Amino acid sequence: MISILVAAAVGLAVTLLGTPVAIRAFRLWGWGQRIREDGPHTHLEKVGTPTMGGLVILAGLLLGYVASRLTTQRFTVTGLALVLAAVGFGIVGFLDDYMKVRRRRSLGLTKLQKFGGTAIVSIAFAMLVTHVGSSGISTHLSFVRPSSIALGFLFYVWAFLVLTGSSNAVNLTDGLDGLAAGTSILVCSAYVFISFWQFRHTCVLLQSASGCYGVSGVDLQDAAIVAAAMMGAATGFLWWNAAPARIFMGDTGSLALGGLFGALALVTNTALLLVVVGGLFVVETLSVIIQVISFRGFGRRVFRMSPIHHHFELAGWPEFTVIVRFWIVGGLCSAVGIGLFYADFIARGGLG
């Protein structure tokens, strides 16, 4: 438990104190945000705001994880794989952000380049957690536990879909000051609870008691540490990213956060539960899919603009109102996800 608190505290301190330094440096280097030409007119004032703040978030994650592990001098394959997923997706996002800055327009990597980069990171992550060490990660389809549906080789495709889908969902949500960061804190908090609960109720520790989890306790503790480090890092960053934002996380941060969420879901065998825990991200993504299908298929728009947070902006809601109400929805989704996870434990005869 102490190592989890250390990870969260260090992650928080790094971004809370380091982000102002990054803001000054990014302004000096000309790393300013580019805005969509078809976006709400109120966003024009955000042009030039420092972006790529995800670099600070990743620094908080890395230093938080390393600091927590110095107390035990032990690193696990699962923990390192989770960090790899976040950093790998962050690098893809950084390349995208950097190209936007260099070209001075809101277009960076092509879709094919993005998918290629995320595919490499996803497969590398999947190979680490399934072929190195003995973490007990299941290659079965999972909701709150592994199901009877074995994926076999398709697990690598599934890992790509989960990590890439999650990263793109967070990326789509990152359109208002602090929206993605605040919601990500809630998702990270849920996975701190889920992974720590599994760590405290492994079948080895409870000697195959009812409701126990058949995964390695050491690896689950590392999953909780990584989730806590990211939770602390996102919280410290939100201090500076809250409206009116002084810095944006950019694709560097949103892809890193989303990639980590997908990786945490696979490590804890709760892949489909992520749809509930990160329900707000799912709604944002569905709004884009619905808008595209409706416009291309029927020539009509369902929303004034997608993702859906822009729809409410154009409907007259103040930006801060949209953000806070979406945070509430995100919090409810995370709470329901935790509730389903705990309900399964109780239904199987587990004792808290």
Side-chain angles (χ1 to χ4, degrees):
M1 187 64 179
I2 293 177
S3 57
I4 294 174
L5 295 175
V6 168
V10 172
L12 173 66
V14 169
T15 52
L16 191 61
L17 301 176
T19 303
V21 178
I23 292 173
R24 290 192 292 270
F26 293 175
R27 284 190 184 278
L28 181 64
W29 298 337
W31 290 2
Q33 176 70 25
R34 313 309 302 177
I35 303 298
R36 284 173 57 177
E37 289 79 4
D38 61 340
H41 69 277
T42 54
H43 288 200
L44 294 177
E45 62 189 29
K46 301 180 181 183
V47 174
T49 302
T51 186
M52 297 192 232
L55 292 173
V56 189
I57 297 176
L58 287 173
L61 168 68
L62 289 168
L63 293 176
Y65 175 66
V66 171
S68 69
R69 274 353 217 146
L70 289 178
T71 58
T72 59
Q73 296 183 344
R74 178 180 56 191
F75 294 86
T76 67
V77 172
T78 299
L80 293 174
L82 288 170
V83 172
L84 167 69
V87 173
F89 273 78
I91 290 173
V92 175
F94 173 78
L95 293 174
D96 187 48
D97 285 332
Y98 189 72
M99 290 180 68
K100 292 176 184 176
V101 170
R102 287 291 301 272
R103 295 175 179 176
R104 298 186 180 278
R105 54 186 303 194
S106 59
L107 297 175
L109 295 175
T110 65
K111 291 181 180 179
L112 182 60
Q113 290 171 331
K114 270 191 177 181
F115 276 106
T118 56
I120 292 172
V121 178
S122 300
I123 293 173
F125 165 79
M127 292 186 67
L128 276 174
V129 296
T130 55
H131 287 83
V132 182
S134 54
S135 60
I137 302 303
S138 173
T139 57
H140 287 59
L141 192 66
S142 61
F143 180 58
V144 292
R145 293 173 186 270
S147 68
S148 59
I149 303 175
L151 297 176
F153 180 76
L154 291 178
F155 178 76
Y156 298 105
V157 178
W158 178 236
F160 165 71
L161 292 175
V162 172
L163 270 68
T164 301
S166 179
S167 64
N168 283 308
V170 178
N171 185 235
L172 289 172
T173 307
D174 185 32
L176 299 179
D177 298 357
L179 177 57
T183 310
S184 294
I185 293 168
L186 299 170
V187 175
C188 285
S189 301
Y191 273 102
V192 170
F193 173 83
I194 289 172
S195 50
F196 184 72
W197 189 266
Q198 290 179 339
F199 162 65
R200 295 292 297 172
H201 296 86
T202 61
C203 294
V204 174
L205 182 64
L206 299 181
Q207 297 180 346
S208 300
S210 298
C212 65
Y213 301 92
V215 288
S216 169
V218 174
D219 291 85
L220 284 170
Q221 185 182 34
D222 247 24
I225 288 171
V226 173
M230 183 59 93
M231 178 185 69
T235 303
F237 182 78
L238 180 60
W239 181 271
W240 305 101
N241 181 233
R246 293 184 56 190
I247 186 171
F248 299 132
M249 67 170 66
D251 286 8
T252 309
S254 59
L255 293 187
L257 283 163
L260 179 61
F261 296 157
L264 283 167
L266 291 177
V267 164
T268 57
N269 297 321
T270 57
L272 294 179
L273 185 65
L274 180 60
V275 175
V276 181
V277 175
L280 179 64
F281 299 129
V282 175
V283 170
E284 293 272 15
T285 304
L286 288 176
S287 71
V288 174
I289 295 172
I290 292 171
Q291 186 85 325
V292 170
I293 293 175
S294 177
F295 185 73
R296 293 184 178 178
F298 307 99
R300 300 182 61 183
R301 288 184 171 88
V302 176
F303 307 103
R304 288 180 170 90
M305 185 178 178
S306 64
I308 196 170
H309 55 259
H310 290 317
H311 169 82
F312 289 106
E313 268 195 296
L314 295 177
W317 289 19
E319 180 178 357
F320 192 71
T321 300
V322 178
I323 295 166
V324 173
R325 288 178 178 173
F326 274 45
W327 281 349
I328 293 172
V329 173
L332 291 173
C333 290
S334 294
V336 171
I338 292 174
L340 291 173
F341 172 80
Y342 186 68
D344 169 81
F345 179 77
I346 297 299
R348 293 173 181 268
L351 299 174

